[in-house]
Amino acid sequence: IDAQTCEIWTYVIGVHTTDPRITDKARPLSELSFDEAAEMATFGAKVLHPATMEPAIRQDIKVFVGSSREPEKGGTWIVRDCVHEPAYRAITRRKDQVMVTVKTPKMMYAQGFLQSVFTIMAKHKLSVDLVTTSEISVSFTLDNPPNSVSEKMNKETLAELTTICDVTIEQGYDVVTVVGNNMQSSAGVSSKIFEAVKDFNLRMICFGANPHNLSFVVSNADSEDVVKVLHKALFE
């Protein structure tokens, strides 16, 4: 419809540096780029949904997020190019993740193993979030909310995977993601993040395929504390 803007009126004053329910030090952001917003939506920012961003990105439609309770306080503008693009923009948490490791000695120097694994995933319409690989194994994360359709589909999928490889399933994880800009090419950006979380066990680490995110898989018992220490180190 050739819209110029899309306004989302909700219960919070725009998009925050992290979930205000985790820390009261979270503050609203005046602007976000489409890329940053898409990463935040994908990795757990509840005020945004990934599908909301697709038409806005495609048609370059500015998105505004504000509070219907306090409209006079402004909100967050989401645009293609921001005036300021900091190394750290926000921290998100995606809960209820299961980590799956598939392993087979046949994978070494073999062609087609990864294709077989992801063909099964696609058959069951499951989306993989984070992926890491070694010579003979691949680990990836899936959404796994209890008593959900995803949980049922995961069980069916993993049962089929056992027919072609050994499968290890680890539950009780959350994904914490730092969203920002030029994270792969700016000196000192990642070291500051790792210094902040040095006292926590990081089960998986993923530097995004783009320069906008760095994600950790951590125990769900630790994830809130991980968000708090990261927020304190990067934003306070």
Side-chain angles (χ1 to χ4, degrees):
I1 61 173
D2 293 324
Q4 292 185 340
T5 62
C6 169
E7 298 180 6
I8 302 173
W9 294 96
T10 179
Y11 58 92
V12 291
I13 305 166
V15 182
H16 283 60
T17 47
T18 196
D19 188 337
R21 292 170 295 185
I22 296 178
T23 173
D24 58 8
K25 299 292 194 299
R27 63 176 187 266
L29 297 162
S30 60
E31 64 174 2
L32 281 173
S33 69
F34 284 141
D35 287 339
E36 292 169 330
E39 294 294 329
M40 291 179 68
T42 299
F43 286 105
K46 297 297 184 184
V47 73
L48 298 170
H49 189 282
T52 307
M53 301 309 303
E54 290 178 15
I57 293 170
R58 189 166 57 243
Q59 294 293 108
D60 196 13
I61 301 168
K62 294 180 179 180
V63 177
F64 178 80
V65 182
S67 169
S68 56
R69 297 173 181 174
E70 302 174 286
E72 73 282 354
K73 291 192 176 180
T76 304
W77 280 102
I78 304 171
V79 297
R80 184 173 299 282
D81 297 306
C82 293
V83 175
H84 180 51
E85 296 187 342
Y88 316 111
R89 181 74 83 180
I91 302 163
T92 64
R93 177 176 64 162
R94 189 165 177 169
K95 302 180 70 175
D96 300 318
Q97 302 291 294
V98 61
M99 180 171 164
V100 180
T101 301
V102 294
K103 179 180 179 182
T104 172
K106 297 177 184 177
M107 183 177 166
M108 189 176 289
Y109 307 122
Q111 296 177 338
F113 174 69
L114 279 177
Q115 179 182 355
S116 300
V117 169
F118 286 103
T119 296
I120 292 173
M121 304 301 293
K123 172 184 172 183
H124 291 272
K125 296 181 172 60
L126 286 178
S127 175
V128 173
D129 290 322
L130 305 181
V131 182
T132 60
T133 66
S134 71
E135 195 63 56
I136 62 170
S137 64
V138 180
S139 294
F140 52 86
T141 61
L142 300 168
D143 272 331
N144 198 50
N147 304 313
S148 67
V149 174
S150 294
E151 186 179 43
K152 179 175 180 292
M153 292 173 69
N154 288 346
K155 289 178 181 177
E156 297 171 356
T157 306
L158 299 174
E160 188 168 343
L161 284 173
T162 59
T163 64
I164 64 168
C165 57
D166 297 328
V167 181
T168 303
I169 304 164
E170 300 174 57
Q171 302 195 50
Y173 290 112
D174 294 344
V175 172
V176 175
T177 301
V178 178
V179 176
N181 294 278
N182 302 313
M183 300 183 75
Q184 298 163 326
S185 57
S186 300
V189 168
S190 57
S191 62
K192 189 172 183 179
I193 295 170
F194 286 117
E195 175 64 23
V197 297
K198 65 183 180 182
D199 294 328
F200 297 94
N201 180 43
L202 310 178
R203 183 61 184 86
M204 183 195 289
I205 302 168
C206 274
F207 229 147
N210 61 44
H212 296 291
N213 74 65
L214 173 55
S215 296
F216 308 110
V217 175
V218 298
S219 164
N220 54 21
D222 290 336
S223 64
E224 190 165 308
D225 289 333
V226 170
V227 172
K228 287 178 178 177
V229 300
L230 279 169
H231 195 273
K232 183 175 182 179
L234 306 182
F235 296 109
E236 295 171 33

